[in-house]
Amino acid sequence: MLIAAAVCPCPPLLVPEVAAGAAPELDGLRAACAEAVRAVAAARPERLIVVGPAERAGRGPHAQGAAGSFRGFGVELDVRLAASPPDGVSVGDDAAGRSPSPPLASSLPLSLAVAAWLLEHAGWDPAVPVEGLGVGEPLAAERCIEVGRELAGRAERIALLVMGDGTACRTLKAPGYLDERAAPFDAEVARALAAADTGALAALDEELAYELKAAGRAPLQVLAGSAEGAPLKGELRYDEAPYGVGYFVASWSS
């Protein structure tokens, strides 16, 4: 049974070490994400399932403690999914904190690696079980909704952390250049998140989302399936398009 959910974007720039000098530009977004994660924790779920876009090789499922890495962005930073390193040592440091350790064998897709960083920095209790699920971006809406229903059908009180960006076509300098259809698409997503409108999320146009590079479409439709019939209320915490990409942060709770 789904009792709560948080929606957060998954750009690597959310991680300050990756953003480097541009990190302060997303401080407000990081704060909103942390608040959303803490709201989920306050609901006291028996398990958290992290859902995010993934390539075929990284779909998982991924167990708690699965490793992810940002070394491809030039920073010696590894993460684990909701698992504390021993003796308080930061992942990527040796036991004395003197130098980076060898890279971890990474299995998490990038979206779930960002989620792992977020859970750590929001203070997620590793005693609460966490698992990760990568969702292929081309996955049909009907199948996404079925996956969500399967998750909600578990006997446990579950919560979701849904990672995914909006469109990448909001400005001329956006990754997908400017597309006039992007702002209305994102506006509908924002409205649906604020209202906990599962029908609107389920009805998102797959082809249009692909054309607008909206990487969060499939994970959002998993959320739609999992929340069908659940008496949840929505709260939109963040709705901006820095760098021309739509980022949303939302909380759904009873």
Side-chain angles (χ1 to χ4, degrees):
M1 177 179 65
L2 182 72
I3 63 164
V7 175
C8 296
C10 53
L13 290 175
L14 198 62
V15 179
E17 291 88 340
V18 175
E25 297 176 9
L26 294 181
D27 281 349
L29 175 58
R30 294 186 192 95
C33 290
E35 291 171 359
V37 170
R38 291 177 188 131
V40 164
R44 300 185 179 277
E46 295 172 341
R47 180 175 299 272
L48 177 70
I49 302 173
V50 184
V51 181
E55 299 293 335
R56 180 177 297 276
R59 293 180 188 177
H62 302 275
Q64 186 160 348
S69 178
F70 297 97
R71 295 184 185 237
F73 296 91
V75 295
E76 294 180 332
L77 177 64
D78 300 319
V79 291
R80 289 192 181 275
L81 187 61
S84 298
D87 302 322
V89 176
S90 296
V91 175
D93 291 344
D94 70 8
R98 290 187 296 264
S99 61
S101 64
L104 295 170
S106 178
S107 65
L108 293 175
L110 186 57
S111 64
L112 300 192
V114 173
W117 178 90
L118 179 58
L119 288 170
E120 177 185 352
H121 288 268
W124 186 264
D125 182 357
V128 179
V130 177
E131 64 184 74
L133 178 64
V135 181
E137 290 186 42
L139 193 65
E142 293 81 3
R143 180 55 186 147
C144 292
I145 293 166
E146 288 175 6
V147 169
R149 289 170 179 160
E150 292 166 5
L151 296 178
R154 298 186 181 189
E156 300 167 295
R157 287 162 45 90
I158 69 163
L160 296 186
L161 173 55
V162 179
M163 308 296 292
D165 302 344
T167 67
C169 303
R170 293 282 293 273
T171 66
L172 292 173
K173 295 184 178 181
Y177 197 65
L178 177 64
D179 191 311
E180 294 180 354
R181 301 172 297 172
F185 184 97
D186 283 344
E188 175 60 8
V189 172
R191 187 206 63 77
L193 292 174
D197 186 341
T198 59
L201 293 181
L204 291 175
D205 187 307
E206 300 168 50
E207 183 175 350
L208 179 59
Y210 175 80
E211 292 174 358
L212 297 176
K213 303 183 184 301
R217 188 274 307 170
L220 287 173
Q221 289 182 322
V222 172
L223 171 61
S226 67
E228 281 182 346
L232 301 180
K233 299 177 293 185
E235 178 184 356
L236 187 64
R237 297 177 178 270
Y238 186 97
D239 175 17
E240 301 289 345
Y243 318 121
V245 181
Y247 295 152
F248 315 101
V249 180
S251 297
W252 286 14
S253 60
S254 57

